[in-house]
Amino acid sequence: MPRVTIIGSGFAALTAVRTLRKAATETALTLVSPRAELVYYPGLIWVPTGLRTGDDLRIPLESFLRRMGVKHVAAEVTGLGNGGRVLETTAGEIENDGLIIGSGGRYMKKLPGSEHMILPCEGIAAAQRIRDRLQGMDGGTIAMGFAGNPKEPAAMRGGPLFEFLFGIDSYLRRQNRRERFELIFFTPAEKPGNRLGPKAVAGLQAEMNKRGIRTHLGHRLKGFAPQRVMTEGGELDADLILFIPGMTGSQWFDNTDLPRSEGGFIKADRQCRVDGMERVYVAGDSGSFPGPEWMPKQAHMADLQAKAAAANLADELAGRQPTATYRVELLCIVDAHDRGMLVARNEKHNLVLPAMRLFHWLKRGFEWRYLRQYR
C-alpha cells in the first residue's frame, strides 16, 4: 500500500487529505503537525470585537482524521532526507512514497522593535490580546499597517489588516466610543490593496476617508518603539500598534535541499510539483508558484493548489501522468464587523461589489459550512 505523508493541519493540508482519500482510497495517509487541530485563521478578525472566541475557531481534528483513516503524528518537522522520501521530525523519521507540504509560511519579524506591536494574524492568542487591549482603553491612537516580502511581493497579508481596521472602527462606533480614538493606517505601498485590483484600491481608500481613518502611505518602515511607529516619512505616535509583516518560508526548509525562491518559499510548477524532486508536492503558503503577480496567499488559493497537488500525486502513485493544475483566483469578502465588500479576481475579470450586510452574513455562512466538514 502506498504511503503518503502530509505536513500541516491547515487549509492546504486538510484539503489534500480529503482529495487524496477520495482519489486514492487504498493509500496509507499520515498527517504530521504539532497538534491535531485546525485554527480557522479567517475568523480571527472577529475575536477583538467579540463576534468569535478562540474556542469557536479551534477545531479538534481527531474525529475527522478517524473518518478519513489518517494517522496523526504530533511533531514538529525538522528536515527532509533521501530526496524527499524521509521526513525528519521531533518524533523520529517517517518514510513515504509521496509527500505533500502544506506547513504554511512564517512572518518576517525583522524590523527593530517588533516586540512593541501585535501581529493580529499570528493566532488566537494575538487576537485575544487585541480584544483585551481595546476593552481596557478609554481612548487614544491605534495604528494598523502591513508590509510585504521585498523579494516576493505576493507574500503578504493585506486583506485581513483592512478587516481588523474597519472592524475595530465599526466596533468602537457601536459602543459610542469612536470619537475618543484616532485610527491610522500605514504601509510602505503607495496604493494599498493593489493586488485586489484598481477598483478595490479606490473602494478601500474611499471607505477609510468616509470613516475618518488617517493614512500614512508610501514610506519605508524603519521599526517600532513603545507607542511609536517609525518610518522614513516621519513617526506616528500610537497607544496600540497592529502590524502584519511580509511572509517567507518555514524555518525547517533551511535544513533541507528543497529548491527555494528568492523570497524563501519552495519553488513549484503549475502542477504543484516541487522542482527537481520526485513525488514531492507543495500547496498554500509554503510554495512559490507560477502565476500573475497578484496571485494571493489566502485560504481559497491554498485549497485550489492542494486539490491539484493531491490529484497529481494520486495519479503518479497509480502510474498515470499528472495533469491537474490550479486556477488562479482571488476571492474574498473584506469584512467590517457588520457588512462586507466582495472582491473577486481571476486572469480575465475583476469584480468589486460595495459593502453590504449580505456579504457579512455570507462570510459567516461560509465559515459554518467550511468548518462543518471537520467537526
Side-chain angles (χ1 to χ4, degrees):
M1 182 182 293
R3 302 160 300 172
V4 171
T5 299
I6 301 169
I7 306 172
S9 59
F11 291 92
L14 297 183
T15 297
V17 166
R18 291 189 291 108
T19 305
L20 267 170
R21 183 49 77 216
K22 188 180 297 184
T25 55
E26 298 303 315
T27 301
L29 298 182
T30 298
L31 186 77
V32 180
S33 65
R35 290 167 296 280
E37 67 178 27
L38 166 67
V39 175
Y40 189 74
Y41 282 88
L44 292 176
I45 60 169
W46 292 322
V47 172
T49 60
L51 288 180
R52 290 290 180 272
T53 67
D55 288 340
D56 294 330
L57 306 178
R58 191 183 292 109
I59 312 301
L61 294 173
E62 287 86 358
S63 177
F64 167 75
L65 296 176
R66 190 164 51 249
R67 294 197 309 269
M68 293 289 109
V70 177
K71 175 185 177 182
H72 179 254
V73 176
E76 301 274 356
V77 176
T78 57
L80 192 63
N82 193 25
R85 297 287 70 84
V86 177
L87 185 68
E88 299 166 4
T89 80
T90 52
E93 294 185 346
I94 301 173
E95 296 183 352
N96 69 78
D97 300 301
L99 177 68
I100 297 179
I101 301 169
S103 53
R106 61 189 166 97
Y107 292 102
M108 303 167 62
K109 297 183 182 179
K110 292 186 176 181
L111 285 172
S114 290
E115 68 273 15
H116 301 300
M117 60 83 172
I118 299 176
L119 203 170
C121 287
E122 196 164 32
I124 291 171
Q128 290 173 332
R129 283 180 62 199
I130 300 169
R131 177 200 62 196
D132 295 344
R133 290 287 300 275
L134 285 174
Q135 290 176 352
M137 294 175 71
D138 293 325
T141 300
I142 305 174
M144 295 180 249
F146 67 84
N149 179 337
K151 295 182 179 180
E152 195 139 348
M156 65 169 61
R157 285 272 197 271
L161 196 282
F162 291 119
E163 296 183 290
F164 281 105
L165 180 68
F166 296 144
I168 288 173
D169 175 88
S170 297
Y171 172 70
L172 294 173
R173 290 178 187 277
R174 292 185 71 172
Q175 292 186 324
N176 295 316
R177 296 199 296 150
R178 177 64 174 88
E179 71 279 359
R180 289 182 254 160
F181 289 82
E182 180 178 25
L183 301 187
I184 304 175
F185 171 68
F186 64 93
T187 181
E190 294 183 359
K191 294 182 178 180
N194 196 43
R195 289 188 305 140
L196 302 177
K199 291 182 180 178
V201 171
L204 291 168
Q205 292 181 336
E207 188 70 17
M208 284 187 273
N209 291 336
K210 184 176 74 174
R211 292 171 178 267
I213 297 171
R214 183 155 67 94
T215 60
H216 186 79
L217 309 177
H219 301 290
R220 184 171 175 268
L221 295 172
K222 295 169 62 178
F224 306 98
Q227 299 185 312
R228 190 174 304 125
V229 179
M230 297 173 290
T231 81
E232 291 184 349
E235 298 185 353
L236 306 172
D237 292 331
D239 300 288
L240 175 61
I241 303 169
L242 310 185
F243 178 65
I244 304 177
M247 300 177 67
T248 188
S250 297
Q251 188 75 52
W252 70 268
F253 297 171
D254 296 341
N255 303 325
T256 72
D257 294 326
L258 288 164
R260 308 282 291 279
S261 69
E262 192 177 359
F265 299 92
I266 301 171
K267 293 175 67 175
D269 63 16
R270 196 64 184 252
Q271 280 73 45
C272 299
R273 293 176 295 200
V274 175
D275 291 353
M277 303 190 82
E278 186 177 2
R279 297 191 305 280
V280 178
Y281 288 81
V282 63
D285 290 348
S286 294
S288 178
F289 304 91
E293 56 86 22
W294 54 264
M295 185 166 66
K297 284 196 174 296
Q298 62 170 191
H300 178 61
M301 197 68 233
D303 280 339
L304 295 175
Q305 291 162 347
K307 288 178 181 177
N312 286 329
L313 179 54
D315 281 342
E316 279 206 80
L317 292 172
R320 298 186 295 264
Q321 181 68 25
T323 58
T325 61
Y326 53 85
R327 68 180 184 272
V328 179
E329 187 172 78
L330 186 156
L331 183 61
C332 68
I333 292 173
V334 181
D335 192 77
H337 187 74
D338 57 0
R339 64 188 63 236
M341 178 176 74
L342 176 69
V343 181
R345 187 175 188 180
N346 58 33
E347 295 183 271
K348 293 183 178 180
H349 305 289
N350 186 194
L351 173 69
V352 178
L353 296 179
M356 57 183 75
R357 293 186 184 275
L358 171 65
F359 295 140
H360 168 75
W361 287 103
L362 281 176
K363 191 178 182 89
R364 293 177 67 165
F366 175 83
E367 175 194 75
W368 175 84
R369 182 173 177 272
Y370 192 90
L371 295 180
R372 185 184 180 191
Q373 62 195 326
Y374 299 118
R375 293 190 188 278

